[in-house]
Amino acid sequence: DTGVSQDPRHKITKRGQNVTFRCDPISEHNRLYWYRQTLGQGPEFLTYFQNEAQLEKSRLLSDRFSAERPKGSFSTLEIQRTEQGDSAMYLCASSSDRGQETQYFGPGTRLLVL
Amino acid sequence: QQQVKQSPQSLIVQKGGISIINCAYENTAFDYFPWYQQFPGKGPALLIAIRPDVSEKKEGRFTISFNKSAKQFSLHIMDSQPGDSATYFCAAVYNFNKFYFGSGTKLNVKP
């Protein structure tokens, strides 16, 4: 257990529904990342927060995706009007900006869109 | 364009053998190279990492070899054990927060 928690661990939804995932990073970490991982692939970067500021978003992140980190602690990732292609593992990671590049990953939320 | 190329895609090794996984990159701005281990249903966990000013780093049975001129690095698992069976990802990082992962190697260590 790395100290990064994600909720829910699994989500099954019907196409067109909205879903929201939560990530709680390691408490002293001010950087938070969201990744998407599909079967047989490495994690792909989606977005990155430094404290509450969203500093970068991947081109993979369509306008149906939105992420927030309102108080610089936990973060949420919302997918609106889900599509079958959104089915994947959504991983959250956190790190410190004090010269430590290491990212610690949560267990992920596995999304299945029917 | 894939920033980090990883091979092989899968690997079968006998218990006690050496597992070798290779990665190559193009962008010379990368300045940190971690390896992650992932078990089914879990998130990736940091295994070992190296900076480009070092040619080798060893932690227990795990060794990273780094060849800066060839822009290649590899993970060696000595005395491989069935418990090492997992998917391994290399990554290349720059600016402390831009992580690019390889496509993964599924390792199966046979007893």
Side-chain angles (χ1 to χ4, degrees):
Chain A
D1 183 6
T2 62
V4 179
S5 61
Q6 292 187 245
D7 184 69
R9 294 292 309 278
H10 303 273
K11 180 72 178 177
I12 300 174
T13 191
K14 292 182 179 178
R15 190 177 54 182
Q17 298 294 304
N18 299 343
V19 295
T20 299
F21 309 141
R22 176 179 170 125
C23 170
D24 287 89
I26 293 172
S27 58
E28 61 266 30
H29 285 180
N30 55 351
R31 293 179 171 176
L32 187 147
Y33 308 79
W34 285 99
Y35 291 86
R36 180 170 65 190
Q37 185 178 26
T38 53
L39 205 60
Q41 297 298 316
E44 291 178 295
F45 170 79
L46 292 178
T47 190
Y48 152 62
F49 290 86
Q50 172 109 4
N51 300 310
E52 65 275 11
Q54 188 174 19
L55 297 187
E56 192 163 348
K57 290 168 59 172
S58 165
R59 279 172 282 184
L60 292 174
L61 212 64
S62 77
D63 56 7
R64 296 184 298 105
F65 287 70
S66 63
E68 293 183 342
R69 194 182 183 198
K71 297 182 181 178
S73 56
F74 73 92
S75 175
T76 57
L77 177 68
E78 181 183 16
I79 309 174
Q80 295 182 327
R81 306 181 304 280
T82 52
E83 302 173 356
Q84 288 184 324
D86 297 331
S87 296
M89 172 83 89
Y90 290 85
L91 292 163
C92 174
S94 71
S95 71
S96 167
D97 65 353
R98 296 174 189 173
Q100 299 291 327
E101 303 92 338
T102 301
Q103 293 190 0
Y104 295 88
F105 282 84
T109 294
R110 183 166 293 283
L111 172 67
L112 178 61
V113 182
L114 301 176
Chain B
Q1 181 186 2
Q2 196 174 7
Q3 296 271 1
V4 181
K5 295 182 180 178
Q6 183 172 346
S7 64
Q9 191 173 18
S10 64
L11 183 61
I12 299 174
V13 173
Q14 289 295 126
K15 179 182 175 183
I18 302 173
S19 304
I20 301 174
I21 304 170
N22 301 298
C23 284
Y25 64 96
E26 285 297 324
N27 189 344
T28 56
F30 291 131
D31 53 13
Y32 180 68
F33 300 89
W35 285 89
Y36 283 81
Q37 179 188 56
Q38 186 175 29
F39 293 103
K42 305 282 188 182
L46 178 69
L47 197 59
I48 186 172
I50 197 168
R51 294 184 187 275
D53 54 349
V54 176
S55 61
E56 186 174 282
K57 183 174 181 180
K58 183 176 180 179
E59 289 183 2
R61 296 186 293 110
F62 301 92
T63 300
I64 300 179
S65 297
F66 188 85
N67 186 329
K68 189 173 182 178
S69 60
K71 292 187 280 188
Q72 295 175 347
F73 58 110
S74 59
L75 176 69
H76 297 235
I77 306 174
M78 312 299 286
D79 187 26
S80 299
Q81 299 297 312
D84 297 330
S85 297
T87 300
Y88 293 81
F89 294 97
C90 63
V93 186
Y94 73 89
N95 203 29
F96 298 107
N97 58 38
K98 301 277 283 184
F99 275 63
Y100 294 91
F101 287 86
S103 55
T105 296
K106 189 171 183 179
L107 172 64
N108 185 7
V109 181
K110 293 205 173 284

